[in-house]
Amino acid sequence: MINDKQPLINSLDKNCSAVILLKSVHMGSFSPRGISFVNLRVLTAMIHVQNVSKHFGDLVAVDNISFQLEKGDVLGFLGPNGAGKTTTMRIITGYMPPTKGKVHVADVDIFEDPLTAKSHIGYLPENPPLYEEMIVTDYLDFVADIKKVPINEKKGRIHYVMEKCGIFDVGKRIIGHLSKGYRQRIGIAQALINDPSVLVLDEPTNGLDPRQIIEIRKLIKGLSGDRTIILSTHILPEVTMICSKVVIINEGKIVLEESLKRLSQKASDVENILLKTKYQGDEVREKILSIPNVSDIRSGPTNELIIQPKKGVDIREEVSELVIQNKWGLLELHPVAHNLEEVFLKVISSAGN
Amino acid sequence: MNAVYPILKRELRSYFASPLAYVILVVFQSISALFFLLYLKGLLHLQFDPSFHLFRGELNLNNVVVIPYFDTMSIVLLFIIPLITMRSLADERTSHTAELLFTSPIKLRDIILGKYLAALILLIIMLFLSSLNIIVLTVHGNPDLGAVFSSYLGLLLLGASFLSIGIFASSLSSSQLVSAIIAFGILLVLWLIGASSDTESSILGYISLINHFENFGKGIIELKDLAYYFSMIYIGLFLTHVALDSERWR
Ligand SMILES: Nc1ncnc2c1ncn2[C@@H]1O[C@H](COP(=O)(O)OP(=O)(O)O)[C@@H](O)[C@H]1O
Ligand SMILES: [Mg+2]
């Protein structure tokens, strides 16, 4: 039975079709996702969020979201401020219970057996949880204790995370006296101290200067591997750089969920065409717009035209013929890929309507 | 390994990492020494005052020094203990470490116990230092040591109940000042309802923190008083647990 299923699971995993969950699509009734959910369950998801909602009074901060991650996945949890990222992460880490829904971490229900589930998790909250008056090594020692790191492994773990996060040279300094960059590293170090298989990082690069941001991103990249990482951010390029999957959340709802490879493919699926001609009269616009496969046209920043074709159609030939026929003087004609930024903004604004 | 110990250790260290603990110890020690001298001086005056001739039998160390001294100490504790507990949980919120504690694989109960025991140790140090005053008495006079001992036990139990209520107050707010004021308010109310109905038989009289303290001053240790203070401590810690749990359940 299981052998029978295995190839199916793998193929689903690899080719899992781009699932776009726009506002109008109901999660529950979206059957392709339902099928993959049932099968992937056999593979023991490391994080499994099922129909989770969180209400604060009348405010719905998180609205019926579901996703799951396997070993080694690095998920970028992307959304504007107030989208519900922090709330979702607090629910996953067992800090607060959801109003509705279930969360499993390493196959353990976080609210039925919190101590076991929490022992698999490393968590960097939005603000690093630091005791200002402590010195760094004492602080890590304390965290190791409350994370139940065995006494004989404690010294080694502290050494390891300090080295990994580059905080050796401040080991004996008082935390309250350290810079924001160091404090963030100490925050990541404490999240790693129990060698967690699930790492939850809430906006790990927030408030850092550009050099520190690059360093922290490098650090996080180096942490992936067997670990399952969720990383929230409102900066899109961060996702491209670090993550293998992305979930975009807006106003508490998932508006897009897929692998990053898919997302970039999709971004280039609808390729816009950039056209620059010597002659720039209004009739250029009109004539191009009259090509059946063109859906939109707008002006670029330096007098060029950005032509948006209908989905999946290559219109370069038609456009170039038109230009040549009318002797407009072709200067430039090439595809411009949507960057992820555009996809992001599009997804969010279409969900907002 | 139990999580109570690391929490307790960190908490105690943090008390002594700030000047607050030292200030509290010094203030408490100074006030207690001051009142002690005041009562002692009062005794000397009274003994040479001819109009008190008839009461000479009553004018012993116990009645004029020891009992008023411990009564005063209990009121000083009422003011000082909210300052000890105000940071306990309020601080975990402002430093965002609440998220670390509550997502660690430890029980909420252990967090509260660790914090409570750390505050209790500070109280014990405080009472121990102030006992120097009494030791002076034993060198130069002969107070009723039984009463002194039971008074200390009473003071410790009273303080331990205050601490438990103070920690509960600290779980209600993220501001140290607010939590100190809440603690002081609750303690004052519990104190005053005793003063307004001093018979222990009434319910209010039973709830009163101070009514149960009187027996200890007379050298009497009664089970009902012990039971009262232990239930006070339990209720305070239990309410803390409820407050912290339900805050996240909102
Ligand atoms: N403890 C809380 N009480 C009330 N409202 C909250 C609380 N935490 C978050 N919110 C609200 O929930 C929404 C989502 O917040 P949050 O999860 O912090 O978003 P993000 O992390 O994506 O910026 C916001 O509107 C925020 O004001
Ligand atoms: Mg946030």
Side-chain angles (χ1 to χ4, degrees):
Chain A
M1 185 69 187
I2 297 216
N3 281 346
D4 205 62
K5 257 182 192 164
Q6 212 65 33
L8 171 66
I9 293 159
N10 284 338
S11 71
L12 261 174
D13 192 17
K14 283 192 200 104
N15 307 322
C16 189
S17 58
V19 180
I20 308 163
L21 298 165
L22 292 174
K23 202 180 177 185
S24 54
V25 180
H26 246 283
M27 287 287 308
S29 60
F30 204 65
S31 58
R33 174 123 191 100
I35 292 165
S36 68
F37 149 68
V38 169
N39 289 299
L40 290 173
R41 196 79 187 93
V42 184
L43 280 180
T44 70
M46 286 308 288
I47 298 178
H48 190 186
V49 176
Q50 270 170 285
N51 305 98
V52 163
S53 297
K54 179 77 186 178
H55 301 206
F56 293 111
D58 282 343
L59 178 84
V60 183
V62 174
D63 192 359
N64 194 29
I65 75 170
S66 304
F67 61 85
Q68 62 180 358
L69 299 176
E70 268 121 65
K71 226 174 169 172
D73 280 348
V74 181
L75 173 76
F77 202 48
L78 189 63
N81 283 326
K85 305 183 293 294
T86 298
T87 306
T88 308
M89 291 179 139
R90 285 179 162 174
I91 292 169
I92 293 172
T93 54
Y95 178 71
M96 47 168 64
T99 311
K100 268 182 250 147
K102 269 192 184 306
V103 173
H104 290 259
V105 173
D107 263 351
V108 183
D109 187 314
I110 185 105
F111 291 99
E112 267 162 31
D113 187 0
L115 297 200
T116 310
K118 286 173 180 174
S119 67
H120 293 287
I121 303 175
Y123 176 37
L124 171 69
E126 201 161 20
N127 300 287
L130 306 173
Y131 292 101
E132 306 277 314
E133 77 281 357
M134 291 180 104
I135 66 168
V136 176
T137 47
D138 284 350
Y139 169 72
L140 292 174
D141 191 86
F142 168 70
V143 180
D145 281 342
I146 61 170
K147 299 277 178 182
K148 307 271 168 89
V149 174
I151 291 186
N152 56 337
E153 290 170 24
K154 211 162 75 173
K155 233 177 149 173
R157 283 306 301 172
I158 294 175
H159 187 96
Y160 172 81
V161 298
M162 285 180 79
E163 191 171 272
K164 192 93 186 165
C165 300
I167 50 175
F168 249 128
D169 43 336
V170 295
K172 293 292 164 204
R173 300 266 303 273
I174 290 173
I175 293 174
H177 297 169
L178 294 173
S179 70
K180 191 126 199 330
Y182 272 123
R183 296 161 66 92
Q184 199 71 12
R185 283 153 185 272
I186 299 168
I188 297 175
Q190 67 75 27
L192 287 172
I193 199 105
N194 55 338
D195 197 10
S197 47
V198 169
L199 195 55
V200 180
L201 307 170
D202 197 351
E203 307 217 11
T205 59
N206 201 14
L208 301 182
D209 68 37
R211 196 177 46 90
Q212 292 167 333
I213 290 180
I214 291 170
E215 281 170 10
I216 296 283
R217 282 179 189 159
K218 238 197 283 175
L219 169 61
I220 296 170
K221 248 188 147 155
L223 294 176
S224 45
D226 264 359
R227 280 198 187 89
T228 305
I229 303 181
I230 301 190
L231 163 129
S232 81
T233 177
H234 58 266
I235 309 163
L236 195 81
E238 200 147 284
V239 175
T240 355
M241 269 173 255
I242 310 175
C243 305
S244 61
K245 271 188 170 178
V246 62
V247 163
I248 300 181
I249 175 173
N250 190 37
E251 291 174 2
K253 294 188 180 73
I254 292 184
V255 287
L256 183 118
E257 173 192 16
E258 54 198 319
S259 79
L260 209 67
K261 226 168 89 196
R262 277 270 157 197
L263 190 64
S264 350
Q265 264 172 27
K266 196 169 91 164
S268 53
D269 265 357
V270 195
E271 260 176 359
N272 287 348
I273 307 290
L274 182 146
L275 171 71
K276 202 165 184 179
T277 50
K278 214 165 189 172
Y279 173 72
Q280 287 175 341
D282 279 346
E283 61 178 296
V284 180
R285 235 172 201 284
E286 280 158 27
K287 283 204 169 146
I288 289 174
L289 207 53
S290 66
I291 298 175
N293 280 327
V294 169
S295 71
D296 195 17
I297 187 164
R298 61 191 153 91
S299 308
T302 55
N303 273 333
E304 67 272 25
L305 293 171
I306 311 282
I307 304 163
Q308 191 186 332
K310 295 217 166 110
K311 208 169 180 169
V313 189
D314 191 346
I315 54 161
R316 279 173 292 182
E317 238 182 284
E318 283 172 86
V319 172
S320 62
E321 259 168 37
L322 193 69
V323 173
I324 290 161
Q325 269 173 24
N326 290 292
K327 301 218 169 74
W328 289 333
L330 183 63
L331 296 180
E332 262 181 74
L333 176 71
H334 58 80
V336 280
H338 270 297
N339 54 19
L340 283 176
E341 207 98 32
E342 266 177 70
V343 174
F344 178 49
L345 290 176
K346 237 165 91 183
V347 160
I348 283 179
S349 60
S350 69
N353 295 338
Chain B
M1 192 183 58
N2 197 307
V4 175
Y5 177 65
I7 301 270
L8 184 161
K9 192 172 73 173
R10 197 210 65 75
E11 191 77 4
L12 257 189
R13 273 194 189 177
S14 109
Y15 274 128
F16 287 100
S18 84
L20 187 70
Y22 297 100
V23 171
I24 287 175
L25 286 177
V26 168
V27 167
F28 185 76
Q29 181 62 5
S30 318
I31 293 178
S32 61
L34 197 73
F35 275 106
F36 180 70
L37 288 177
L38 228 59
Y39 291 130
L40 210 57
K41 215 170 133 206
L43 176 66
L44 291 179
H45 270 289
L46 292 178
Q47 267 184 335
F48 294 106
D49 191 331
S51 55
F52 279 88
H53 197 77
L54 289 174
F55 303 105
R56 185 119 318 149
E58 303 283 302
L59 288 180
N60 55 33
L61 269 180
N62 270 334
N63 286 349
V64 183
V65 179
V66 175
I67 291 178
Y69 171 73
F70 279 105
D71 278 351
T72 311
M73 285 303 92
S74 68
I75 292 176
V76 176
L77 283 185
L78 183 79
F79 286 92
I80 280 190
I81 282 192
L83 300 179
I84 295 181
T85 54
M86 64 181 183
R87 54 186 303 170
S88 172
L89 287 156
D91 243 20
E92 302 284 357
R93 291 219 184 85
T94 44
S95 65
H96 308 288
T97 43
E99 271 176 280
L100 168 63
L101 292 183
F102 298 147
T103 58
S104 291
I106 53 178
K107 292 202 170 98
L108 183 53
R109 187 195 67 197
D110 292 352
I111 299 173
I112 296 171
L113 267 183
K115 287 187 167 282
Y116 178 72
L117 292 177
L120 194 62
I121 289 174
L122 188 63
L123 175 70
I124 290 171
I125 295 175
M126 217 162 83
L127 294 183
F128 181 77
L129 286 179
S130 77
S131 71
L132 293 176
N133 298 327
I134 301 292
I135 290 172
V136 172
L137 264 195
T138 60
V139 174
H140 296 287
N142 55 339
D144 178 354
L145 282 180
V148 168
F149 174 76
S150 70
S151 295
Y152 260 112
L153 182 66
L155 207 55
L156 180 64
L157 288 171
L158 186 74
S161 315
F162 287 2
L163 284 177
S164 158
I165 292 164
I167 284 189
F168 168 58
S170 179
S171 74
L172 297 177
S173 165
S174 56
S175 148
Q176 292 191 15
L177 183 67
V178 172
S179 70
I181 292 172
I182 295 175
F184 183 67
I186 299 177
L187 293 180
L188 204 61
V189 167
L190 284 177
W191 191 277
L192 288 179
I193 55 178
S196 61
S197 58
D198 51 5
T199 54
E200 254 188 66
S201 49
S202 73
I203 293 180
L204 288 183
Y206 184 78
I207 295 172
S208 160
L209 283 162
I210 193 63
N211 282 349
H212 294 270
F213 186 59
E214 276 163 16
N215 275 342
F216 288 98
K218 296 175 203 150
I220 306 163
I221 300 173
E222 275 203 68
L223 196 62
K224 70 172 170 59
D225 298 324
L226 293 179
Y228 169 80
Y229 284 122
F230 282 118
S231 14
M232 256 346 224
I233 294 168
Y234 180 80
I235 290 171
L237 297 181
F238 175 75
L239 289 178
T240 311
H241 197 288
V242 171
L244 290 177
D245 230 12
S246 67
E247 157 189 304
R248 287 171 296 131
W249 276 94
R250 256 189 320 159

